Each structure stands twice: as structure tokens, then as C-alpha cells.
Amino acid sequence: MSDKKWTLLLATLVIAFMYLLIQFMISTYENQALIQHLSEHETDLGSKPHVMLISQELDNPYWRLIEQGAKDAANQLGMALEYVGPLRINTDEQTTLLEKAIAAKVDAIIVQGVHNIIYKRLIDKAVDQGIAVITVDADSADSKRYSYVGTDNIESGRKLGELVVEADKKSPRSGNTNIGIMIGSNLAENQMLRLEGFRSVVSQHRNLRIVDVRVSNISRIEAAQKASEMLYMHPEIDMIVGMSALDAVGILQAVKNSDRDNIRIFGFDDLEETKQAIARGEIEATIVQNPYRMGYDAVTLIHDALEGIQPPPVHLMDIGVLAKDGNGWSDGR
Ligand code: BGC
């Protein structure tokens, strides 16, 4: 082999060696950075109190607002928040998630109260094991939970009743009003209390009559189906009220699909679609809760509890009314 060929071969070998060396250095650097990142993340999570928020339904827009408030508070207070929930409303799954949170030995649990003895016992078990538990949105008042954060549900049901009474008085057709009611669930304490509050007001007016109560399973589609059934079974219905966040828009869909254009609709919560329907005059009014604040305050009270400050047994949020005619008000007025 000539000198020239040797030189060429040597140069190729040197270049290949340099290439491999550079590759080796890059991958070592990347690995080190990854290891550092992971261990930083681990210490980060490890040192932060772990709070599990268990919702009634993972992707429900109302629960996403609670999650947002909880996350903001957790970030500000240096806590690690984990948000979980059944894909569709399912009490058994909610119960399993509560069991898992206890088994994972989290520091705190924020959970929706469910009207069920097993659930109550699990909350008690968590507290007995030193886990701080706060109920949010719906209470489990006879459990050992530290605190309930949410709306005064009896009161909010009464307010809905008062709205209906007032609206009926102003109506030219006032006199004999037949009401259909949609509740989100018959296992959630908040729905039962809202119904009780509503009935307590309406029952004092002889011209107002409740003709049907159905369950939407907090689904807009089911609310639409059940409202259609109501309209079919009770042609005398004049008004339908919804007691969970997606009910009024579901009811509206059913009314639009029917040949009844004179049904008056009242609802709960001010999710975007409900607000738009109120602005168009299709839904008359809605009771406004504050889910973001529920999440925020629940985490703040958990933070206090972990620092040894006992939270109040009940921490209520203001409610308000949103109505197109500007007749809105809020408890904070
Ligand atoms: C209720 C929640 C429920 C939500 C469903 C709200 O009005 O307070 O319990 O999960 O509606 O859309």
C-alpha cells in the first residue's frame, strides 16, 4: 500500500474515532442531565405533601373548575395535587379510588361526599390513619371528615324555589304551574338537599305543583332524554328545573326537539353554555356556585390542617343568581 493510502486510512480512522468519542460524550451528558432531572423531581414530590382530589366525574367541566382552583392553591402552597375520578359518574369507582388513596398513604384527601355507609367508613378509616380528609361540593356530614367546603345546598335549593315563585308571579300565565325536576344523582347528598330546599319553598304555594322528578346522572345527554320523557308523560308541564350543572342545557335540548316552545327552564351553575342560553333568553335563570373557589379553599384548609391549624367543620361559599333580566344577586351583596 502506498504512503498516500496509509495516510488516508489513518485519517479516516482518526475521524471515526473522534466521531464516536463526541457521540459518547453527548450521550453521557444527556444521561447525567436526565438523572439529575429525575432526582430533582423525586425530591420535589417527596418533600411536598401529597393531596389526592377525588371527583364525581373526571372530565365534567364543573369538576375541572374545582381541580383548577385546587391546583392553583397547591402550587402556591408547595403541595403536590393529584386529581382522579371515574370516567363516568360511578359511586363504586369513587369508593375504589378512596380505598386506593388510603392504601397509597397520601397526606390528605379531598373528596365529594357520597350517601353510602361504606364510603363514610372509608373516610373514617382515612382519618383514623392520620390522613386529613375534607369533603368538597357534597358533604358526608356524619363521617369524621375534618371539614366540608362547598355550597349550603338546602339554602341553594330554597333560592331556586324562590326564583321559581317570583318568576311565576310575574308571568301572565301565572296561576297553575306544573313543575318537572331534574336532579344529577340520588346518591349525592347535595342533590337531595337541594331538592328538599326547593320543595320546602314550592310547597307553600298552592298554585305550584311538582309533577315529576328524574335523575340525569349529571349527563347532559341523559338530562335531554329524561326531559323528553317528562314532556311526553306530562303534557301539562310548564316549567323544568335542573339541579346539577349540565341539566339545564340538556333540558333545553329536549324542549327544542319538542313541539313545546313555552317551557320555562331554570338551572344550576354558570357553565359557558348555560350563560349563553340565558343571554339568548332560552334559560330563565341559574343558581351560581363557585367551584373554582371550592377547590382553592379546600387545599388551603388542608394546608392549615397539616400545619396543625384545625379547619372549621363547615366552610360555605357564597351563591348567586344569573338571570337575563339583570335580576341577579349574590349572597355576598
Ligand atoms: C353539582 C355537582 C355535580 C355537577 C355536575 C353541580 O351542580 O354541585 O355535584 O357534579 O353539578 O355537573
Side-chain angles (χ1 to χ4, degrees), residues 144-281:
K144 294 184 180 171
R145 53 84 176 140
Y146 286 20
S147 187
Y148 160 64
V149 177
T151 298
D152 178 339
N153 284 299
I154 278 245
E155 189 52 24
S156 66
R158 277 197 209 113
K159 295 285 183 203
L160 186 60
E162 284 163 15
L163 268 186
V164 162
V165 169
E166 282 311 306
D168 183 61
K169 274 189 204 153
K170 284 187 218 144
S171 153
R173 293 186 298 115
S174 170
N176 206 359
T177 299
N178 295 305
I179 306 170
I181 301 180
M182 189 73 64
I183 55 169
S185 149
N186 44 17
L187 290 174
E189 193 124 314
N190 58 358
Q191 299 295 303
M192 295 294 107
L193 295 174
R194 286 175 201 177
L195 187 56
E196 190 183 326
F198 184 80
R199 278 187 198 280
S200 72
V201 172
V202 164
S203 61
Q204 289 167 25
H205 297 265
R206 287 172 57 199
N207 60 320
L208 299 177
R209 209 163 60 96
I210 295 170
V211 294
D212 203 348
V213 181
R214 302 210 176 204
V215 182
S216 69
N217 284 315
I218 66 167
S219 142
R220 177 205 163 115
I221 297 173
E222 273 191 58
Q225 281 165 357
K226 304 282 172 67
S228 297
E229 285 168 25
M230 264 192 213
L231 291 169
Y232 180 74
M233 302 290 288
H234 300 278
E236 75 279 17
I237 279 188
D238 307 286
M239 196 183 266
I240 309 185
V241 302
M243 300 213 178
S244 74
L246 296 170
D247 293 343
V249 284
I251 296 164
L252 176 61
Q253 200 174 318
V255 169
K256 282 185 172 170
N257 291 342
S258 77
D259 53 1
R260 305 282 310 271
D261 55 1
N262 53 353
I263 304 287
R264 303 171 71 183
I265 304 170
F266 294 81
F268 242 87
D269 302 301
D270 60 343
L271 298 181
E272 196 46 42
E273 264 190 278
T274 308
K275 284 201 276 196
Q276 286 172 11
I278 289 179
R280 291 193 301 267

Side-chain angles (χ1 to χ4, degrees), residues 53 55-70 83 112 136-138 148-153 156 190-191 194 218 243-246 268-272 287-295 317 319:
L53 167 59
S55 69
Q56 187 177 30
E57 187 174 83
L58 195 69
D59 246 341
N60 187 292
Y62 174 90
W63 279 96
R64 286 292 183 191
L65 289 169
I66 296 186
E67 179 202 11
Q68 196 51 56
Y83 173 70
Q112 190 208 33
V136 71
D137 174 64
Y148 160 64
V149 177
T151 298
D152 178 339
N153 284 299
S156 66
N190 58 358
Q191 299 295 303
R194 286 175 201 177
I218 66 167
M243 300 213 178
S244 74
L246 296 170
F268 242 87
D269 302 301
D270 60 343
L271 298 181
E272 196 46 42
I287 300 285
V288 180
Q289 304 189 86
N290 198 338
Y292 176 89
R293 192 83 220 175
M294 287 180 204
M317 310 274 111
I319 51 168

